[in-house]
Amino acid sequence: MFSSAIRNKSRLVFDLQKLSNKFSTSNQSNVKVAVCGASGGIGQPLSLLLKQSPLVTELSLYDIVHTPGVAADLGHIETKSKVKGFVGPDQLKDSLKGAEVIIIPAGVPRKPGMTRDDLFNTNASIVRDLAQAVAEVAPKALVGIISNPVNSTVPIASEVLKKAGVYDPNRIFGVTTLDIVRANTFVAELKGLDPTNVNVPVIGGHSGITIIPLISQAKPSVEFPKDQLKALTERIQEAGTEVVKAKAGAGSATLSMAYAGAKFAFALCRALKGESVTECAFVKSDVTEAKYFSTPIVLGPGGIAKNLGVGKLTDFETELLKAAIPELKKNIQKGEDFVNKN
């Protein structure tokens, strides 16, 4: 019985290691990652995934409640990374000291009938205050913002960092990875493919019509009839609402967002160590008329090493882009105005 238990434990550890290595080509363990909003519906599973990665040496967890308990819970997991919890505004700056990667899922979740814009007033203040602490304590960190509405919260963080005199547009990212994860999954389902081998770039923003999946640039190459392509595009754009409705008031997309957030965090960790990694993210951009825009970007130790742009678009995708730009510009302006008025 004892030997059987040992075998089962070894199998579990091996499976967890495989999960980590899905996002890592290196077992080097030397990045400090901070999660702001670590006790929430996204923050807890995100922190669990980060704890399992060999890329993470130290995990610093911050929230306004329960963080010491979350840290104690994760601290019992048999991986090398050290975990420490920080709770309340008085401990915020301490939680960010020495952080090389900061992931921000803090804020209130979406509920049935709510748009991402409805979240604005609460989450805008949260992101503003976190960005101020980043500016003072960890201005050189690579910062991934999950808090919605991303189209506005990324400009908010950027404006705060500008006012503090430490803004580097190459180090601030809106995490749109979930849109790519969903696109990969939905395309794979329709074509009978292995979703781990599908890669669909998604450009634009991170809400509704600003989400522009570039099915024409998918790898492997796929084609759909016009009506199916339209339906697929709309499903990707409204997938968040699909989850909110399915949970019937019990929350929004937390587990899939945690997975996507971890995937992007691991990309930042790998880039910090000199690996060239390509991911889509919502960043300061001159690719379109919108000041911020998501495109595939090459990541390096200093953040954005190269913006790969939108590539060649089909007529259908060009129309999606035209529809997205006015909405994006409005969202961005709303974020900038919030900081300038507050």
Side-chain angles (χ1 to χ4, degrees):
M1 182 180 292
F2 181 74
S3 60
S4 173
I6 291 292
R7 285 197 302 274
N8 288 338
K9 183 199 171 192
S10 298
R11 192 176 299 117
L12 174 61
V13 171
F14 176 70
D15 288 345
L16 291 178
Q17 189 67 39
K18 284 200 299 182
L19 175 66
S20 299
N21 288 342
K22 177 181 173 60
F23 305 114
S24 170
T25 57
S26 167
N27 284 330
Q28 213 171 13
S29 172
N30 47 8
V31 179
K32 180 175 181 178
V33 180
V35 179
C36 296
S39 297
I42 296 170
Q44 289 201 44
L46 170 61
S47 299
L48 172 62
L49 292 170
L50 294 171
K51 178 70 172 83
Q52 294 172 358
S53 174
L55 286 165
V56 180
T57 300
E58 193 175 341
L59 194 53
S60 179
L61 308 182
Y62 171 79
D63 214 320
I64 56 173
V65 291
H66 308 315
T67 338
V70 175
D73 197 358
L74 290 176
H76 293 176
I77 294 173
E78 54 190 348
T79 58
K80 290 182 179 179
S81 56
K82 305 297 182 185
V83 186
K84 189 171 181 181
F86 299 82
V87 64
D90 291 346
Q91 296 183 16
L92 171 56
K93 290 180 185 177
D94 286 339
S95 75
L96 299 177
K97 285 179 180 174
E100 296 167 273
V101 172
I102 299 171
I103 306 296
I104 303 178
V108 297
R110 202 150 56 110
K111 296 176 183 177
M114 291 177 70
T115 66
R116 284 182 174 86
D117 206 46
D118 292 330
L119 308 178
F120 181 83
N121 288 330
T122 298
N123 289 359
S125 298
I126 291 170
V127 171
R128 176 198 60 201
D129 295 346
L130 292 174
Q132 185 60 47
V134 170
E136 294 177 30
V137 179
K140 296 296 185 183
L142 302 182
V143 181
I145 299 173
I146 293 172
S147 309
N148 275 319
V150 165
N151 295 357
S152 300
T153 54
V154 171
I156 286 170
S158 299
E159 291 301 304
V160 170
L161 294 169
K162 284 178 190 176
K163 284 190 171 186
V166 294
Y167 178 56
D168 182 347
N170 293 325
R171 296 176 182 271
I172 307 297
F173 310 88
V175 181
T176 61
T177 312
L178 182 52
D179 297 325
I180 291 87
V181 167
R182 286 166 167 162
N184 294 346
T185 300
F186 300 163
V187 166
E189 286 174 354
L190 290 170
K191 291 297 185 182
L193 300 170
D194 178 349
T196 62
N197 294 328
V198 176
N199 184 28
V200 181
V202 181
I203 64 170
H206 187 55
S207 65
I209 63 169
T210 70
I211 298 170
I212 308 170
L214 301 184
I215 307 298
S216 70
Q217 296 181 28
K219 300 281 191 269
S221 180
V222 293
E223 291 185 6
F224 296 96
K226 284 185 178 180
D227 58 341
Q228 194 175 27
L229 176 62
K230 183 175 184 292
L232 171 61
T233 298
E234 289 174 354
R235 188 186 179 200
I236 294 166
Q237 290 177 330
E238 296 301 328
T241 301
E242 186 177 310
V243 176
V244 169
K245 287 180 178 177
K247 289 192 174 182
S252 57
T254 54
L255 301 175
S256 54
M257 186 63 249
Y259 169 89
K263 185 176 181 182
F264 189 74
F266 295 146
L268 293 180
C269 291
R270 289 159 53 199
L272 274 173
K273 300 307 158 189
E275 186 177 339
S276 180
V277 188
T278 300
E279 290 285 346
C280 292
F282 186 68
V283 297
K284 187 72 170 67
S285 173
D286 58 6
V287 169
T288 68
E289 298 169 46
K291 294 180 186 177
Y292 298 83
F293 197 83
S294 181
T295 47
I297 53 176
V298 179
L299 298 167
I304 301 172
K306 185 177 181 181
N307 191 321
L308 299 179
V310 302
K312 185 178 180 181
L313 305 182
T314 64
D315 290 345
F316 176 69
E317 291 161 353
T318 299
E319 289 305 309
L320 293 176
L321 177 58
K322 285 180 183 176
I325 291 295
E327 181 70 14
L328 262 178
K329 290 167 79 172
K330 183 176 72 174
N331 297 159
I332 292 163
Q333 190 64 52
K334 187 171 184 177
E336 292 179 340
D337 288 346
F338 176 81
V339 176
N340 292 328
K341 292 175 182 176
N342 295 277

